[in-house]
């Protein structure tokens, strides 16, 4: 993981839906006054009710410094490089790009929420399952809440009772992110790093996807190909039920994606097998092979139910895919 990718995300004063308002106010004050540390602490105490702890204030200031919003020049605080960029652009798109680039897990959380609303406990589990390097205690929800509140304050996530879901703006980001962030240099596992899969490319077609989308797909399926049982991340592809090229609107849809071994992904895209709406393996009757592997994992298992939860894939996508196969 690159050193500028931060595991910890710090909450801002002002309430869960106002993190961005607080960030904007801090940057405005710093840009106008180049304050000393004492002046910056004093401004916080005068601006936010019940805020007095210097340590608490400085923990937030140092986080903004780590992200690059703030820079300390001698005794004075000034805008950092990304702080100047954000102030100049003054839009959510720029802020989200900065936060996603500097913090682990923002994009994978948005991808996960695109599949349905989640409670804080579910969000915490999703983040830890997808990004074990985060390292917080299993069952802890404070960290999950801080991440959700940053996204809420950007207008990408909204609270629905005890759960959180994407807004229309959040869905729009997810639809574009799977391609936009394909060149990200983050890798989800040591195995991926060792095998050069930081920028992940599929075996079958020359396309790249966001590594955090890939990590989210693998995490939802326990990092295992349901057809072959392959569980080494460097040997897994992200396959799409409705194809990447023909259905760009479903590229970032988690219910349209599953992990397959590189061999089985190639076989799936070449229409040598499929799965039906009962999650049973269907093999093209014209498929002949002398491969023990393919006989064992495909031919001999024809008609067998594969281990997929019914919430994992959209069965309408499965039906649409199979309708185009002459042999089904």
């Amino acid at each position: 993981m690159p050193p500028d990718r931060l595991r910890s995300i710090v909450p801002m004063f002002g309430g869960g839906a106002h993190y961005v308002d607080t960030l904007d106010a801090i940057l405005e004050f710093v840009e106008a006054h180049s304050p000393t540390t004492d002046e910056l602490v004093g401004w916080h105490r005068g601006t936010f009710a019940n805020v007095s702890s210097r340590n608490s204030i400085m923990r937030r200031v140092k986080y903004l410094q780590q992200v690059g919003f703030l820079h300390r020049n001698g005794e004075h605080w000034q805008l950092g490089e990304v702080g100047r960029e954000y102030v100049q652009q003054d839009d959510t798109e720029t802020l989200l790009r900065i936060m996603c680039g500097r913090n682990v897990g923002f994009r994978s959380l948005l991808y996960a929420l695109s599949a349905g609303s989640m409670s804080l406990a579910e969000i915490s589990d999703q983040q830890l399952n997808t990004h074990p390097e985060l390292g917080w205690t299993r069952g802890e929800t404070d960290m999950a809440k801080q991440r959700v509140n940053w996204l809420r304050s950007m207008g990408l996530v909204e609270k629905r009772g005890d759960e959180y879901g994407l807004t229309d703006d959040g869905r729009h980001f997810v639809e574009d992110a799977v391609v936009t962030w394909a060149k990200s240099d983050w890798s989800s596992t040591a195995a991926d790093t060792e095998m050069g899969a930081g920028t992940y490319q599929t075996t079958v077609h020359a396309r790249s996807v966001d590594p955090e989308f890939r990590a989210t797909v693998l995490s939802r399926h326990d990092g295992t190909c349901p057809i072959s049982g392959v569980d080494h991340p460097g040997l897994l592809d992200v396959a799409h039920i409705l194809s990447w090229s023909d259905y760009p609107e479903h590229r970032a849809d988690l219910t349209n994606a599953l992990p397959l071994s590189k061999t089985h992904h190639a076989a799936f895209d070449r229409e040598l097998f499929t799965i039906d709406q009962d999650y049973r393996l269907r093999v093209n009757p014209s498929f002949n092979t002398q491969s023990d592997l393919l006989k064992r994992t495909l031919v001999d298992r024809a008609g067998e139910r594969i281990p997929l939860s019914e919430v994992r894939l959209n069965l309408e996508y499965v039906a649409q895919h199979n309708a185009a196969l002459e042999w089904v």
Side-chain angles (χ1 to χ4, degrees):
M1 185 180 65
D4 61 343
R5 293 273 291 177
L6 303 174
R7 295 179 176 90
S8 297
I9 294 176
V10 175
M12 304 300 290
F13 298 122
H18 301 285
Y19 285 7
V20 173
D21 294 336
T22 299
L23 172 65
D24 290 345
I26 293 171
L27 297 182
E28 181 180 356
F29 175 73
V30 169
E31 183 180 34
H33 300 285
S34 295
T36 64
T37 297
D38 286 344
E39 290 169 340
L40 188 53
V41 169
W43 176 85
H44 275 83
R45 288 170 172 163
T47 302
F48 301 102
N50 302 318
V51 173
S52 60
S53 168
R54 185 183 183 91
N55 287 340
S56 179
I57 293 169
M58 290 308 298
R59 184 165 69 92
R60 288 156 172 82
V61 170
K62 289 178 180 178
Y63 170 72
L64 296 181
Q65 182 183 24
Q66 287 180 303
V67 175
F69 289 116
L70 298 180
H71 169 72
R72 187 169 182 175
N73 185 6
E75 297 296 320
H76 296 270
W77 289 93
Q78 300 173 345
L79 296 186
E81 182 178 351
V82 300
R84 291 193 299 272
E85 178 188 8
Y86 172 53
V87 167
Q88 290 170 1
Q89 298 297 325
D90 192 28
D91 58 30
T92 299
E93 182 178 352
T94 299
L95 177 58
L96 183 58
R97 175 170 52 78
I98 291 168
M99 293 297 286
C100 282
R102 301 300 175 93
N103 297 279
V104 173
F106 259 82
R107 297 195 307 281
S108 75
L109 176 53
L110 288 168
Y111 288 130
L113 289 172
S114 72
S117 298
M118 302 169 68
S119 67
L120 284 177
E122 291 169 334
I123 289 169
S124 181
D125 285 342
Q126 183 275 329
Q127 289 282 275
L128 285 174
N129 291 340
T130 309
H131 308 279
E133 68 271 28
L134 290 172
W136 66 65
T137 303
R138 182 73 65 171
E140 169 63 57
T141 60
D142 284 350
M143 293 297 213
K145 187 174 183 179
Q146 292 167 13
R147 289 162 182 264
V148 166
N149 283 342
W150 269 105
L151 295 171
R152 283 178 67 199
S153 67
M154 285 185 257
L156 303 173
V157 169
E158 61 187 2
K159 189 173 183 180
R160 303 167 183 166
D162 293 330
E163 296 187 331
Y164 297 84
L166 292 188
T167 63
D168 288 343
D169 286 344
R171 291 193 177 279
H172 179 71
F173 169 81
V174 165
E175 290 169 1
D176 293 338
V178 70
V179 174
T180 300
W181 287 89
K183 301 302 181 182
S184 168
D185 59 359
W186 175 77
S187 181
S188 62
T189 67
D192 272 357
T193 302
E194 292 165 4
M195 299 191 68
T199 298
Y200 161 74
Q201 290 191 322
T202 71
T203 300
V204 182
H205 299 292
R207 64 173 181 259
S208 298
V209 301
D210 178 4
E212 286 207 14
F213 179 76
R214 165 180 161 79
T216 307
V217 173
L218 266 60
S219 174
R220 278 169 57 85
H221 294 272
D222 298 322
T224 303
C225 168
I227 308 299
S228 67
V230 168
D231 61 359
H232 190 294
L235 301 177
L236 294 172
D237 279 355
V238 172
H240 287 73
I241 303 301
L242 296 179
S243 73
W244 174 277
S245 57
D246 294 336
Y247 298 92
E249 68 275 19
H250 295 305
R251 288 175 178 174
D253 188 337
L254 290 176
T255 65
N256 186 46
L258 75 163
L260 293 178
S261 78
K262 293 180 180 297
T263 297
H264 291 80
H265 185 197
F268 179 80
D269 278 7
R270 286 172 172 79
E271 302 179 357
L272 300 180
F273 80 93
T274 189
I275 58 175
D276 64 21
Q277 289 177 283
D278 293 321
Y279 294 116
R280 297 190 182 279
L281 193 62
R282 303 286 297 275
V283 180
N284 190 325
S286 67
F287 178 38
N288 293 311
T289 179
Q290 298 303 310
S291 165
D292 289 340
L293 170 67
L294 294 176
K295 286 180 180 179
R296 185 175 69 253
T297 58
L298 291 177
V299 177
D300 294 346
R301 294 182 64 200
E304 183 178 324
R305 185 181 175 89
I306 63 173
L308 277 179
S309 168
E310 294 182 1
V311 302
R312 297 302 190 189
L313 296 179
N314 186 321
L315 294 181
E316 292 182 4
Y317 299 162
V318 173
Q320 188 174 347
H321 169 80
N322 290 344
L325 303 178
E326 295 181 357
W327 52 271
V328 173

